[in-house]
């Protein structure tokens, strides 16, 4: 008795073998068999399941596995009586790799590339290759127990199909969490109760839903045909991946309570009107409710205001009025003045690329701030919300990301160059999710760009206007309630300020410590490629780039950046026109083979609006002050290799 692998270029269509959601748990008898024998290493055993016989288990799997893209190659693992496997592949190179790897064939190794960008969209990984993510303590940080997490996805129980958007989508109108009534909360509670009650062998259970997030952030999978990890954060994939993630999560909840209209709420943390948006929403705070998670920062329960750049972790003496002003400017700087897709959405990340490291302004703060602010300071790695591997175990995560998604849509309406990326590598990137039936589906980025096609809309709130129209003033012109107390020794005149200059190979990094001040030259020449795009001078953004910023991977840290304010320090308010933005690292585990301790990122801010408000018009040299609001100590070192300003 041996299992043979049939690879053929035609055969039964994957789509046709997929049944409609029958309401049964995704764990069929076969599924249970698989899962129960796969604890702790599901995927690799699953390979063997397809590759060799499983003695004593007659049926490895009842349905065909269709894991290959574009339906050009169908892979079927089926049990046959003592026959040699037939291999008959008629497809592209990548299909071949995937087909072969599913079959556990050695073909994969000879075709694997390492660290080479293909100039092609990111596609789903080979699900049969999954490694646990592990964490070690960064040098100098008090010893924490080494941890590994295994968040490999449950293998699909049916062929994976391309997800088709419904032609008449069910409307999901998402409301602010602070505005929903008791009936709504009860229904929400019920939906999560049912989701929590599903067995962990069901991909729709809350734990397995959270693992999807973990898997694609913490290095569980390599990119297809590459030894580089697949990562859905820190690049242009961040926004569309999370939009799809919420889409299916919402559909699963709706399915579980039998209410197709069920909609997630959004945590309206950007709303600085005093209406309950910028606190932890009450509906998630009832102990014993399915929406409750004990692993949250108990110092941040209502009525404590949330901070969108972790200001209160670095400076605990802030008044509510200052927190609100700071939050408004964090929103203004990260959404309004982020005037290009590269700035706001993050930069390009294509097939085979190494770990992405240029996230957008919305992701870098306030998104990360809310994660770190919500996670428990009593947990080693700020679990649950404060670490990507555990964040989505907390139902508040989905309300948080619902707001992130909403803000993306708001950004789209501001105008100018605030339009989504159009690069085919962006539009054609593909992800895998489980639908409301627990069946695995494949989706494309392009299909998520219009929320109305997904049936998703957001109830409008007036709070947006407060930050959309925020007018930060230069520090000299403000009368803030917080006084800047400069305790650090700062250079006396601009002549004494060094210029760090751009990064270059072999250049060593400079420690930020508590703060770092540097001169930076503004660009004088518009690059030809921008001229070729037909951009007028007034369309161009000036982007301040911090190159190769090194932060410990597993520690929350926060740098705030100011221009023309060399005296800025950790007590300087963020509400002023000199503040250009923040970068906040959310602790996350690394995958096998990754640098476990430090992470290198490129941090970018649009500064044209700041320059205008500060009255800096002529090309000249400005000062850049990087302040470590959280971190910047020996135990949480932060360093930077280069500073430059470029046109975009
Ligand atoms: Cu996937 Cu809020 O991060």
């Amino acid at each position: 008795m041996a299992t043979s692998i049939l690879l053929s270029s035609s055969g039964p269509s994957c789509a046709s073998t997929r049944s409609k959601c029958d309401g049964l748990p995704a764990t069929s008898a076969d599924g249970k068999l698989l899962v129960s024998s796969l604890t702790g290493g599901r995927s690799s055993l699953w390979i063997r399941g397809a590759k060799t016989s499983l003695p004593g288990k007659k049926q490895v799997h009842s349905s065909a596995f269709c894991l290959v893209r574009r339906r050009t190659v169908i892979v079927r693992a089926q049990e046959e009586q003592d026959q040699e496997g037939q291999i008959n592949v008629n497809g592209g190179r990548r299909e071949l790799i995937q087909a072969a790897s599913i079959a556990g064939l050695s073909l994969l190794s000879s075709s694997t590339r390492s660290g080479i960008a293909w100039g092609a969209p990111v596609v789903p990984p080979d699900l049969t290759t999954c490694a646990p993510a592990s964490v070690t303590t960064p040098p100098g940080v008090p010893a924490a127990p080494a941890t590994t997490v295994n968040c490999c996805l449950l293998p699909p129980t049916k062929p994976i199909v391309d997800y088709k958007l419904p032609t008449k989508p069910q409307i999901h109108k998402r409301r602010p969490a602070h505005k929903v009534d008791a009936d709504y909360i009860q229904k929400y509670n019920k939906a999560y109760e049912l989701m929590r009650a599903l067995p962990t062998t069901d991909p729709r259970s809350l734990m397995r839903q959270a693992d999807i997030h973990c898997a694609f952030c913490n290095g569980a999978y390599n990119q297809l045909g590459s030894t580089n990890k697949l990562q859905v954060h820190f690049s242009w994939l961040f926004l569309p991946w999370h939009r799809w993630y919420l889409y299916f999560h919402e559909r699963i909840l709706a399915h579980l309570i039998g209410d197709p209209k069920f909609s997630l709420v959004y945590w309206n943390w950007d709303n600085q009107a005093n209406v309950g948006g910028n606190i932890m929403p009450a509906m998630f705070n009832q102990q014993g409710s399915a929406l409750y998670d004990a692993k949250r920062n108990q110092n941040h329960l209502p009525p404590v205001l949330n901070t969108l750049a972790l200001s209160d972790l670095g400076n605990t003496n802030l008044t509510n009025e200052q927190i609100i002003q700071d939050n408004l400017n964090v929103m203004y700087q990260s959404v309004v003045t982020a005037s290009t897709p590269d700035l706001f959405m993050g930069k390009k990340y294509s097939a085979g690329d190494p770990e992405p490291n240029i996230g957008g302004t919305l992701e870098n703060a306030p998104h990360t701030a809310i994660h770190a602010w919500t996670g428990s300071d009593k947990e080693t790695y700020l679990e649950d919300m404060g670490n990507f591997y555990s964040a989505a175990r907390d139902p508040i995560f989905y309300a948080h990301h619902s707001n992130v998604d909403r803000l993306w849509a708001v950004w789209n309406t501001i105008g100018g160059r605030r339009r989504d990326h159009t690069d085919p590598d962006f539009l054609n990137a593909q992800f895998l999710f489980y639908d409301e039936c627990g069946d695995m589906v494949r989706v494309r980025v392009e299909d998520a760009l219009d929320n109305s096609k997904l049936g998703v809309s957001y109830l409008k709130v007036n709070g947006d206007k407060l930050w959309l129209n925020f007018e930060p003033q230069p520090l000299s012109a403000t009368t803030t309630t917080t006084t800047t107390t400069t305790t650090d020794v700062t250079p006396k005149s601009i002549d004494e300020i060094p210029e760090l200059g751009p990064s270059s190979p072999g250049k060593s990094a400079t420690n930020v410590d508590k703060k770092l001040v540097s001169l930076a030259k503004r660009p004088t020449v518009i690059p030809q490629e921008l001229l070729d795009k037909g951009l007028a001078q007034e369309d161009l953004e000036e982007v301040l780039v911090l190159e190769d910023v090194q932060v410990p991977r597993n520690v929350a840290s926060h740098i705030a950046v100011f221009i023309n304010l060399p005296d800025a320090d950790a007590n300087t308010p963020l509400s002023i026109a000199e503040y250009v933005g923040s970068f906040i690292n959310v602790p996350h585990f690394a995958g096998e083979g990754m640098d476990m301790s430090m992470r290198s990122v490129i941090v970018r801010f649009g500064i044209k609006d700041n320059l205008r408000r500060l009255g800096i018009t002529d090309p000249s040299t400005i000062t850049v002050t990087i302040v470590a609001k959280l971190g910047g100590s020996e135990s949480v070192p932060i360093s930077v290799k280069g500073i430059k300003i470029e046109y975009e």
Side-chain angles (χ1 to χ4, degrees):
M1 179 83 64
T3 300
S4 74
I5 308 302
L6 286 170
L7 302 175
S8 66
S9 59
S10 58
S13 144
C14 293
S16 71
T17 61
R18 177 172 175 254
S19 68
K20 280 264 170 281
C21 188
D22 48 16
L24 291 172
T27 46
S28 64
D30 289 335
K32 272 187 189 142
L33 174 71
L34 265 178
V35 171
S36 64
S37 62
L38 298 182
T39 317
R42 300 188 279 270
S43 299
S44 55
L45 275 167
W46 184 56
I47 299 178
R48 259 173 260 138
K51 188 167 111 184
T52 63
S53 60
L54 281 179
K57 292 184 175 125
K58 276 205 88 83
Q59 188 76 16
V60 171
H61 210 285
S62 59
S63 55
F65 292 129
C66 298
L67 280 164
V68 180
R69 298 178 314 116
R70 298 194 200 110
R71 292 193 215 97
T72 48
V73 179
I74 309 294
V75 179
R76 299 173 64 211
Q78 67 178 42
E79 196 171 88
E80 295 202 342
Q81 303 280 330
D82 289 332
Q83 273 181 11
E84 282 295 276
Q86 290 179 31
I87 296 181
N88 169 18
V89 174
N90 181 6
R93 196 182 126 270
R94 282 202 219 167
E95 283 80 359
L96 190 65
I97 291 173
Q98 184 142 19
S101 62
I102 286 161
L105 301 177
S106 57
L107 179 63
L108 181 66
S109 57
S110 61
S111 308
T112 299
R113 291 197 188 191
S114 165
I116 299 166
W118 295 351
V122 165
V123 293
D126 173 354
L127 291 179
T128 61
T129 62
C130 184
S134 66
V135 61
T136 52
T137 315
V141 170
T147 308
T148 53
V149 280
N150 183 345
C151 44
C152 301
L153 301 187
L154 291 177
T157 55
K158 286 179 183 166
I160 301 172
V161 297
D162 289 323
Y163 183 73
K164 296 262 176 314
L165 281 173
T167 40
K168 271 191 100 190
Q170 181 61 59
I171 300 300
H172 298 275
K173 186 157 194 152
R174 298 182 185 160
R175 294 166 176 78
H178 64 276
K179 279 199 155 177
V180 293
D181 61 19
D183 285 352
Y184 200 96
I185 294 171
Q186 202 184 10
K187 197 197 293 184
Y188 215 91
N189 198 11
K190 183 78 203 165
Y192 274 97
E193 215 173 274
L194 293 170
M195 184 175 262
R196 284 185 188 275
L198 290 173
T200 52
T201 48
D202 189 322
R204 301 169 303 175
S205 61
L206 187 60
M207 199 57 185
R208 293 283 93 89
Q209 286 285 297
D211 280 354
I212 298 172
H213 190 255
C214 169
F216 295 118
C217 183
N218 294 310
Y221 294 98
N222 286 349
Q223 282 210 47
L224 186 62
S226 165
T227 53
N228 285 324
K229 294 291 174 188
L230 178 54
Q231 173 58 266
V232 298
H233 300 80
F234 327 130
S235 79
W236 66 11
L237 294 189
F238 171 75
L239 291 169
W241 187 88
H242 288 80
R243 179 169 284 177
W244 274 122
Y245 184 41
L246 294 186
Y247 175 83
F248 288 109
H249 186 75
E250 185 174 62
R251 289 176 74 89
I252 292 168
L253 292 166
H255 181 72
L256 289 173
I257 56 167
D259 174 1
K261 283 199 181 67
F262 174 86
S263 310
L264 292 170
V265 293
Y266 63 87
W267 176 2
N268 195 193
W269 36 253
D270 58 292
N271 190 341
Q272 305 305 311
N274 202 13
V275 291
N278 52 342
I279 54 172
M280 212 182 273
M283 65 184 277
F284 292 96
N285 276 322
Q286 312 304 318
Q287 278 193 41
S289 132
L291 308 180
Y292 184 75
D293 186 328
K295 289 186 185 172
R296 294 190 193 136
N297 190 324
Q298 298 302 307
N299 301 320
H300 289 164
L301 300 180
V304 176
L305 300 187
N306 57 42
T307 55
L308 300 183
L310 286 190
S311 333
D312 70 325
L313 297 188
N315 174 1
T316 47
N317 302 320
L318 293 181
T319 61
N320 277 357
E321 180 49 28
Q322 188 58 49
I323 289 174
I324 285 173
Q325 294 301 311
D326 285 0
N327 283 351
L328 287 171
N329 202 25
V330 172
M331 288 306 298
Y332 181 72
Q333 299 298 334
S334 56
V335 182
V336 182
T337 74
S339 67
T340 68
D342 275 356
L343 271 172
F344 179 79
M345 305 177 76
K347 278 220 181 193
K348 183 169 181 146
Y349 173 51
S350 297
D353 281 347
E355 185 184 35
N357 62 354
I358 314 180
T361 48
L362 181 64
E363 179 179 7
N364 286 346
H367 155 259
T368 45
I370 290 292
H371 273 285
W373 184 86
T374 310
S376 169
D377 56 342
K378 300 279 181 294
E379 299 293 322
T380 309
Y381 299 110
L382 281 184
E383 290 94 339
D384 279 328
M385 272 285 277
N387 196 304
F388 284 144
Y389 91 90
S390 54
R393 295 176 184 177
D394 186 339
I396 211 170
F397 171 96
Y398 306 91
H400 168 41
H401 267 276
S402 190
N403 200 41
V404 172
D405 190 65
R406 187 184 75 85
L407 293 169
W408 174 17
V410 173
W411 177 79
N412 280 141
T413 67
I414 299 175
R417 294 170 65 198
R418 295 171 190 81
R419 288 185 299 259
D420 295 337
H421 286 288
T422 53
D423 188 315
D425 279 9
F426 175 71
L427 301 176
N428 296 316
Q430 298 179 347
F431 312 125
L432 296 177
F433 289 100
Y434 302 97
D435 70 7
E436 64 271 30
C437 312
D439 295 337
M440 197 174 265
V441 293
R442 186 186 308 110
V443 296
R444 285 172 69 235
V445 163
E446 190 173 16
D447 292 332
L449 297 183
D450 181 351
N451 249 333
S452 71
K453 290 197 181 134
L454 305 178
V456 171
S457 66
Y458 292 97
L459 189 77
K460 283 211 165 52
V461 278
N462 286 327
D464 292 357
K465 295 201 190 105
L466 296 178
W467 52 261
L468 280 169
N469 303 316
F470 189 66
E471 298 266 358
Q473 304 296 316
L475 181 63
S476 56
T478 56
T479 48
T480 59
T481 49
T482 309
T483 47
T484 301
T485 50
T486 306
T487 46
D488 297 311
V489 180
T490 49
K492 285 169 197 67
S493 83
I494 199 161
D495 306 329
E496 294 172 44
I497 298 175
E499 182 178 351
L500 191 62
S503 170
S504 59
K507 182 174 172 177
S508 56
T510 303
N511 280 337
V512 171
D513 292 326
K514 286 294 154 214
K515 64 184 275 189
L516 181 150
V517 189
S518 167
L519 296 179
K521 286 195 185 67
R522 294 177 61 206
T524 48
V525 183
I526 302 172
Q528 190 58 40
E529 69 175 272
L530 291 177
L531 293 171
D532 290 348
K533 282 186 189 164
L535 290 169
Q537 172 91 40
E538 63 264 28
D539 297 330
L540 296 175
E541 183 57 82
E542 262 183 70
V543 180
L544 171 63
V545 187
L546 311 184
E547 300 177 294
D548 202 352
V549 179
Q550 298 265 349
V551 293
R553 194 178 275 277
N554 298 306
V555 187
S557 50
H558 171 201
I559 53 168
V561 181
F562 300 84
I563 59 171
N564 274 18
L565 193 62
D567 286 351
D569 65 15
N571 294 317
T572 305
L574 306 181
S575 52
I576 57 178
E578 287 88 346
Y579 170 72
V580 299
S582 289
F583 170 82
I584 291 160
N585 180 57
V586 169
H588 56 284
F589 293 177
E592 262 179 352
M594 288 165 70
D595 181 337
M596 298 293 180
S597 61
M598 300 300 281
R599 177 183 167 216
S600 164
V601 293
I602 295 171
V603 183
R604 308 173 85 248
F605 305 105
I607 61 169
K608 189 167 82 168
D609 185 82
N610 305 79
L611 292 167
R612 178 178 64 77
R613 288 178 191 279
L614 297 172
I616 303 167
T617 46
D618 298 327
S620 60
T621 300
I622 60 170
T623 66
V624 175
T625 307
I626 304 173
V627 172
K629 298 275 282 188
L630 185 64
S633 57
E634 211 175 286
S635 60
V636 188
I638 300 174
S639 65
V640 58
K641 217 183 233 180
I643 297 179
K644 66 179 181 188
I645 302 174
E646 62 192 17
Y647 278 124
E648 180 160 302

